[in-house]
Amino acid sequence: MRLELGTIKIRDVQFGETTRIENGVLYVSKSELIALALRDPRLAVADVELARPGESVRIIPVKDVIEPRIKADGTEGYYPGMAGGMRTAGSGRTNVLRGTTVLTVGRIVGYQEGFVDMTGPAAAYSPFSDANNVVLILQPVDGLPEHAHEEAVRLAGLRAAAYLGEASRGVVPDEVQVYELGEAIDPTLPRVAYVYPLLSQGLLHDTYLYGADAKSLLPTLIHPNEPLDGAIVSGNCVSACDKHTTYHHLNNPVIEELYRRHGSELNFVGVVVTNLNVTLADKERSSGYAAKLVKLLGADGAVITKEGFGNPDADVMMLCKKIEDYGIRTVLITDEFAGRDGSSQSLADTVPQADAVVSVGNANAVITLPPMDRIIGDLRPAEVIAGGFVGSVAADGVLSVEIQAIMGSTCQLGLGKLTAQGH
Amino acid sequence: MVRGRYRVVHYLNQFFAQIGGEEKAGIPPQVKKGAVGPGIPLQQALGDEGEIVATVVCGDNYFGENIEAAAEAVVDLVAPHRPDVFVAGPAFNAGRYGIACGAACTAVMKRLGVPVVTAMYEENPGVELYRKEVFMIPAPRSVQGMRETIPKLAGFVRKLGLGQPIGLPQVDGYLPRGVRVHAFVERTGAQRAVDMLLAKLKGEAFQTEYPMPTFERIPPSPAIKELSAATIALVTTGGIVPRGNPDRIEAASASKFAAYSIAGTDDLTADAYQTCHGGYDPVYANEDPDRVLPLDAARALEKGGIIGRLHGEYYVTVGNATSVANAQRFGKAIGERLLAAGVDGVILTST
Amino acid sequence: MPVVHVASIVPISVTVGANRIVPAVAIPHPLGNPALPERDERELRLRLVEKGLRALQTDVEQQTVFDG
């Protein structure tokens, strides 16, 4: 499988009569984008706002973040099985609008949405403060059941991103990156697999592989190109800090890094996708099954990531132990919940085999943020979203929250440079 | 303006201050000018940059018998000397002395805002009690270790005195305080993970960024002998609260717990109760809250005489991102209340 | 005063130090099963609570999972 990502660098986003790209600027037709969203009768109101890096803007509450992309060959939609025709992702040319994202905003859960600040201290904690963001603010029709509300917003975001991606047709990409595992890799290189658990715990805690609900998966092999080309979509609102947004799946940094070193420092032998279910039996089944697949791949070592925290700690520890029991070495990427003073135990479960752990930060750390000139969305949920508390929003707009509430702040795919160290 | 020497106040016990041994362990806090006992080599190590302007002394027994009051008295003696740094010990393995050093440092730091440091043997009881808040230089077990400890202690005092930032424990030579602190580093988490895995595969040295934690073990309580005479209480971390969440327990990182009366209630219903826990699909708990807090079953067992009494209140918090420290706090408080109310056993449910 | 932890993810309960543990059904409904008819579900819940009470009446020396 050979995937070409043709990236077009977007350096600014503006509203325009038509949606198009000119000189690296993405012009967005607000009316078309709104009309597109409202084609779904489950949505009553849609609005669009723009947020650029460095602006004094706070976007809240955020559900998902998606990168605008399309297949260059004209295939409609981009997310197979979800918002687009079924296709096997991971080959051919994909156009990527880099430096811009779609954010879906509007209160869904009240508990787990997050926020993004485009400037100020919180900006360093989110990858999305660096992007030119097209914010889609959505309200459902009255009385819409939660499942339908979540789905409507999810699809609206994916469709909006694909719609913006269409602007790339006819534009010469700034760069083309090729993703191909190739053959005849030096057999002395260590064989490394990637174990990729997806959150799958019910309403607003789900993830989709080609549109299939990850809850019902048995762990399976996928080609690393597939997540990079739309195979995995986020349907969840586990805490903002460590949920994998759709953007994160599309830009999975572990896959990117293993690819970067493939053929020179290691042999990237494959990806095992697994789930994070809510019963002990499912956890035992999936972890055992996934470990066996890693063994079947003939891996010498495996990188294991995690989504969410708490009970998923049990899954990751089971994976670690079972893979190590095969003689395959592991490394885990995890965030920490060490309490606001950083002195509590950071994980809910442990195994002695977990001796190689990368920490992406303590999600309980509290940050105090200045008010922003502009709020896109609604500031009030800040007091109820995970990481917020009564009194989070001061009268003058100063926001005190745990970084748990910032989109992507402790993403356990390892996209960021935040870590926590023992002092 | 000529830069002055930074001012240091040193704390010693009666023995190291050369006042006396055990027979003088009851002396109250007092102050001496300049450096005393081990303060003299310490001053030598500080050279011209820092000056030990005073030494505060207290008997180990005096301190141990009333830690808070003694610590306050020490602070009162320290304050007029306007130190830039407060240093205590080294206490080696002397337990009372180590505790006094830790307590004195904590009090000075909190009341005067002065940076502090002490030194003691890693197993000194003072370490366990005060390590989170006070910098501690590891020292050998016995006083023979004075010679090697003084320069290390002086080096740290100097950093504090000159206002230099303190880095990681392994770099700046102090005992890890068990506190996780943020840093932005050069390489991404994914890069560091692959680096670490490759090192591990090659058999090269690597350092985990998070050593696995351990959790406290509590000895099991004795079993209930006579269930039909016993009072049983229900407690949950699943966030089942009266509709509207009147006490606003947070969906994550709960800062509190609550107690709600179930007197006369046989069943938790959707109109009266809900879940406020943000970490699981709430649909099933909202349909029937008994699925998380089994009131209907417990009440039936009470009515059937299987249990003597169902306690009139249930306790709830949200176990989503709750820090262990907070969970321990809640657990202690709830336990105390239940004990005081004559409860004999608890069913704790979690999601 | 003995405490029995009724929770689904037994390894976590063990790691954090519970001494008496009763395995529950699933995270979102530890003492329930929405797939069952109401009456069966209540029966299931009663059995789990009874198991918990048996645990409270059993002396243990170390962490014990009450499974049977």
Side-chain angles (χ1 to χ4, degrees):
Chain A
M1 277 171 89
R2 178 192 165 92
L3 175 67
E4 291 177 2
L5 292 187
T7 54
I8 297 156
K9 294 196 174 95
I10 301 297
R11 56 180 178 81
D12 188 18
V13 65
Q14 298 286 344
F15 285 125
E17 285 286 309
T18 58
T19 297
R20 68 197 186 282
I21 297 170
E22 261 171 38
N23 297 317
V25 178
L26 172 67
Y27 293 92
V28 176
S29 161
K30 186 192 249 211
S31 56
E32 279 185 23
L33 205 46
I34 289 176
L36 174 66
L38 293 180
R39 272 199 234 155
D40 188 332
R42 297 175 293 189
L43 295 174
V45 182
D47 197 5
V48 182
E49 291 201 49
L50 306 176
R52 303 170 192 83
E55 291 181 338
S56 177
V57 170
R58 177 162 291 150
I59 310 169
I60 176 173
V62 179
K63 188 201 181 226
D64 195 12
V65 184
I66 312 107
E67 189 171 49
R69 294 167 167 227
I70 46 144
K71 296 304 290 181
D73 65 4
T75 305
E76 224 195 297
Y78 183 68
Y79 298 92
M82 172 75 50
M86 189 55 77
R87 62 180 174 90
T88 298
S91 52
R93 168 72 67 96
T94 296
N95 298 352
V96 178
L97 269 51
R98 190 132 285 164
T100 184
T101 76
V102 170
L103 281 78
T104 45
V105 166
R107 191 167 160 152
I108 295 191
V109 200
Y111 293 157
Q112 292 118 313
E113 298 93 321
F115 73 95
V116 176
D117 277 359
M118 301 305 292
T119 190
Y125 288 88
S126 175
F128 310 118
S129 59
D130 268 341
N132 292 285
N133 297 319
V134 178
V135 186
L136 196 55
I137 305 146
L138 302 165
Q139 318 280 22
V141 298
D142 276 337
L144 189 68
E146 289 153 323
H147 281 96
H149 183 184
E150 186 279 320
E151 188 185 62
V153 171
R154 174 171 19 108
L155 294 176
L158 299 174
R159 288 173 184 148
Y163 162 81
L164 292 177
E166 289 286 336
S168 67
R169 296 213 186 283
V171 179
V172 176
D174 295 297
E175 196 190 340
V176 177
Q177 272 172 289
V178 175
Y179 295 83
E180 197 170 20
L181 287 177
E183 283 151 39
I185 303 299
D186 179 353
T188 66
L189 290 175
R191 299 170 63 85
V192 176
Y194 168 36
V195 179
Y196 193 175
L198 304 176
L199 197 75
S200 53
Q201 306 207 340
L203 175 62
L204 295 149
H205 288 75
D206 285 324
T207 311
Y208 302 91
L209 176 64
Y210 287 100
D213 189 332
K215 283 200 288 296
S216 36
L217 290 184
L218 272 180
T220 186
L221 288 179
I222 57 170
H223 190 281
N225 292 1
E226 294 176 80
L228 300 184
D229 197 27
I232 301 179
V233 166
S234 172
N236 80 62
C237 264
V238 77
S239 291
C241 58
D242 62 14
K243 68 160 268 179
H244 303 335
T245 61
T246 300
Y247 178 96
H248 282 103
H249 290 298
L250 292 169
N251 292 283
N252 187 312
V254 172
I255 293 179
E256 295 274 357
E257 187 60 20
L258 290 172
Y259 247 127
R260 215 175 53 75
R261 305 203 217 190
H262 175 64
S264 58
E265 291 175 64
L266 52 88
N267 182 354
F268 185 9
V269 296
V271 180
V272 174
V273 158
T274 181
N275 55 15
L276 297 164
N277 276 5
V278 297
T279 67
L280 185 58
D282 281 2
K283 287 182 189 301
E284 294 278 17
R285 177 186 310 106
S286 288
S287 56
Y289 204 106
K292 173 202 59 188
L293 288 176
V294 173
K295 177 71 177 166
L296 287 179
L297 284 173
D300 299 308
V303 178
I304 306 172
T305 57
K306 184 175 71 159
E307 187 170 15
F309 56 87
N311 78 74
D313 295 352
D315 295 84
V316 161
M317 291 303 153
M318 286 178 195
L319 283 164
C320 174
K321 179 186 185 305
K322 291 175 186 180
I323 293 171
E324 291 270 353
D325 281 349
Y326 278 124
I328 302 166
R329 315 312 309 278
T330 61
V331 72
L332 273 51
I333 305 181
T334 180
D335 59 4
E336 302 186 42
F337 280 80
R340 291 191 188 161
D341 66 357
S343 68
S344 282
Q345 293 87 337
S346 303
L347 293 172
D349 199 4
T350 66
V351 293
Q353 291 87 346
D355 61 1
V357 177
V358 164
S359 166
V360 293
N362 175 17
N364 289 136
V366 175
I367 193 171
T368 300
L369 304 168
M372 296 282 138
D373 292 343
R374 183 158 69 108
I375 306 285
I376 298 180
D378 182 358
L379 190 54
R380 286 167 304 169
E383 299 218 333
V384 291
I385 57 180
F389 40 87
V390 173
S392 274
V393 185
D396 53 4
V398 165
L399 188 61
S400 292
V401 283
E402 295 183 1
I403 64 167
Q404 190 181 168
I406 303 175
M407 293 302 288
S409 60
T410 65
C411 175
Q412 298 161 110
L413 296 178
L415 188 60
K417 297 182 177 176
L418 177 67
T419 187
Q421 297 167 329
H423 277 240
Chain B
M1 184 184 105
V2 174
R3 203 216 154 99
R5 301 165 85 186
Y6 57 84
R7 300 166 64 83
V8 181
V9 170
H10 191 189
Y11 175 85
L12 294 173
N13 72 356
Q14 80 287 351
F15 172 78
F16 285 96
Q18 297 165 337
I19 292 174
E22 272 308 309
E23 78 287 3
K24 293 289 187 191
I27 61 166
Q30 51 203 254
V31 65
K32 294 177 174 304
K33 244 176 100 86
V36 173
I40 295 172
L42 183 61
Q43 174 66 75
Q44 267 176 346
L46 296 178
D48 287 333
E49 289 178 319
E51 183 185 358
I52 298 177
V53 297
T55 302
V56 172
V57 187
C58 184
D60 282 341
N61 283 350
Y62 185 99
F63 207 111
E65 273 149 31
N66 202 340
I67 295 180
E68 274 194 46
E72 289 305 300
V74 164
V75 176
D76 289 339
L77 290 175
V78 169
H81 295 279
R82 297 169 291 109
D84 299 298
V85 186
F86 179 78
V87 53
F92 304 103
N93 201 22
R96 288 166 298 151
Y97 187 17
I99 290 173
C101 286
C105 281
T106 305
V108 166
M109 179 178 66
K110 287 194 167 146
R111 260 187 59 190
L112 303 181
V114 169
V116 302
V117 60
T118 182
M120 63 187 82
Y121 179 59
E122 195 157 5
E123 288 172 28
N124 188 314
V127 170
E128 192 55 44
L129 290 170
Y130 297 104
R131 76 185 306 160
K132 257 176 32 182
E133 284 156 319
V134 175
F135 288 118
M136 298 186 175
I137 308 299
R141 180 175 277 194
S142 87
V143 73
Q144 327 287 41
M146 184 70 78
R147 177 168 266 184
E148 71 178 79
T149 305
I150 289 294
K152 291 182 190 168
L153 190 53
F156 206 94
V157 168
R158 180 178 180 276
K159 282 198 122 179
L160 293 178
L162 297 179
Q164 291 173 355
I166 305 298
L168 291 171
Q170 51 266 46
V171 173
D172 281 330
Y174 61 96
L175 289 177
R177 293 181 294 168
V179 178
R180 306 293 295 170
V181 177
H182 274 168
F184 281 96
V185 293
E186 281 300 304
R187 289 171 79 63
T188 66
Q191 288 170 330
R192 301 189 324 264
V194 179
D195 291 343
M196 199 182 284
L197 182 62
L198 289 177
K200 191 170 169 179
L201 287 172
K202 288 186 225 163
E204 286 168 10
F206 66 91
Q207 186 156 97
T208 185
E209 294 180 359
Y210 184 61
M212 288 291 109
T214 53
F215 293 83
E216 208 186 334
R217 288 284 175 266
I218 315 272
S221 292
I224 295 175
K225 297 281 180 272
E226 193 54 64
L227 189 62
S228 58
T231 301
I232 303 297
L234 293 176
V235 180
T236 185
T237 64
I240 299 300
V241 292
R243 271 237 157 247
N245 192 7
D247 291 292
R248 307 250 257 158
I249 301 181
E250 299 90 341
S253 307
S255 66
K256 60 185 103 152
F257 62 87
Y260 296 108
S261 168
I262 40 175
T265 309
D266 291 348
D267 187 13
L268 298 179
T269 53
D271 56 312
Y273 294 87
Q274 64 166 94
T275 178
C276 64
H277 187 303
Y280 64 86
D281 181 347
V283 166
Y284 311 107
N286 283 336
E287 269 169 13
D288 182 1
D290 295 298
R291 287 168 170 155
V292 175
L293 189 83
L295 176 58
D296 59 355
R299 191 64 81 192
L301 291 164
E302 181 194 44
K303 291 203 165 137
I306 308 294
I307 66 178
R309 223 183 114 249
L310 183 59
H311 185 52
E313 287 179 319
Y314 77 89
Y315 282 84
V316 52
T317 189
V318 166
N320 182 21
T322 321
S323 69
V324 171
N326 276 347
Q328 282 175 330
R329 235 178 3 105
F330 303 161
K332 275 205 173 77
I334 295 172
E336 277 162 17
R337 291 188 207 190
L338 292 179
L339 270 177
V343 169
D344 300 298
V346 174
I347 296 178
L348 170 66
T349 68
S350 288
T351 54
Chain C
M1 163 173 62
V3 179
V4 61
H5 194 199
V6 182
S8 316
I9 312 306
V10 172
I12 290 179
S13 186
V14 170
T15 294
V16 302
N19 286 317
R20 294 173 168 92
I21 301 166
V22 166
V25 177
I27 288 167
H29 45 80
L31 292 115
N33 185 347
L36 294 177
E38 211 184 303
R39 198 227 215 92
D40 293 343
E41 214 195 339
R42 276 195 303 240
E43 180 70 23
L44 163 71
R45 177 152 58 251
L46 194 63
R47 298 284 155 255
L48 278 172
V49 175
E50 285 175 335
K51 204 185 278 188
L53 293 172
R54 268 202 302 284
L56 291 177
Q57 295 176 276
T58 308
D59 273 308
V60 298
E61 304 267 76
Q62 55 204 8
Q63 295 179 280
T64 306
V65 179
F66 290 82
D67 228 331

